[in-house]
Amino acid sequence: MAGVERMNVTDKTRTIAAVRAIGPSVLHVSWSDGTAADIELGAILDDRAFAALRDPGEFAKVELGDWGHSLTWPSGVELGADMLWLETLSATGHGDVRAFLEWRLRHALSLSKAADALGVSRRMVAYYSNGEKRVPKPILLACRGWEVSDGLHQAA
């Protein structure tokens, strides 16, 4: 569709390149851009939908899903790369990028829409979203302020 800019969690093609279980609830995930992290999934495994993965034997059978866009297990459980990328950001000390991406996701903001909302360039939003530049505290505060003001506008 002309004029429509879709938004995804990374705005940059990033897939899972390799994975292995290194504990009863920890995965070592390597990404196509060279990023790697140990991701603790204990809190996620508390969800009923992931009960099968509480068995360390089942958890250890993790495999790459199609084209590296997910992880799968023989029990049928699947975790998407977008969610795992957010966990990777936290595990690698990029909580600022995670917070920024979660703000964009909550509001389905494309690069251009986020740039307009914050009064910065589209390129800067891309840098922040891809973790190429740290997200400054004033930008994160502006995201919170935008949520409050946007919520007020929608309620009116």
Side-chain angles (χ1 to χ4, degrees), residues 88-145:
T88 298
L89 288 170
S90 292
T92 57
H94 293 93
D96 59 323
V97 177
R98 180 180 181 153
F100 187 73
L101 285 173
E102 288 177 331
W103 171 74
R104 285 188 54 212
L105 287 169
R106 269 193 307 278
H107 302 287
L109 295 172
S110 66
L111 295 173
S112 296
K113 296 272 187 198
D116 289 344
L118 297 171
V120 298
S121 71
R122 184 180 185 281
R123 178 173 291 178
M124 243 5 215
V125 171
Y127 287 149
Y128 297 153
S129 297
N130 292 322
E132 293 175 49
K133 293 191 183 277
R134 294 204 62 83
V135 184
K137 190 177 252 181
I139 293 293
L140 293 173
L141 291 170
C143 292
R144 288 184 185 174

Side-chain angles (χ1 to χ4, degrees), residues 22-79:
I22 59 171
S25 63
V26 180
L27 296 174
H28 180 79
V29 180
S30 299
W31 295 87
S32 59
D33 69 353
T35 302
D38 295 340
I39 302 173
E40 168 58 54
L41 298 177
I44 292 167
L45 300 185
D46 287 341
D47 188 303
R48 220 174 50 196
F50 302 107
L53 300 183
R54 291 184 210 136
D55 170 12
E58 176 68 10
F59 188 78
K61 295 177 185 174
V62 64
E63 295 180 353
L64 284 177
D66 292 338
W67 304 288
H69 293 290
S70 66
L71 298 179
T72 62
W73 284 265
S75 61
V77 175
E78 185 171 8
L79 288 174

Side-chain angles (χ1 to χ4, degrees), residues 13-26:
T13 304
R14 182 181 289 110
T15 57
I16 303 168
V19 64
R20 73 178 187 282
I22 59 171
S25 63
V26 180

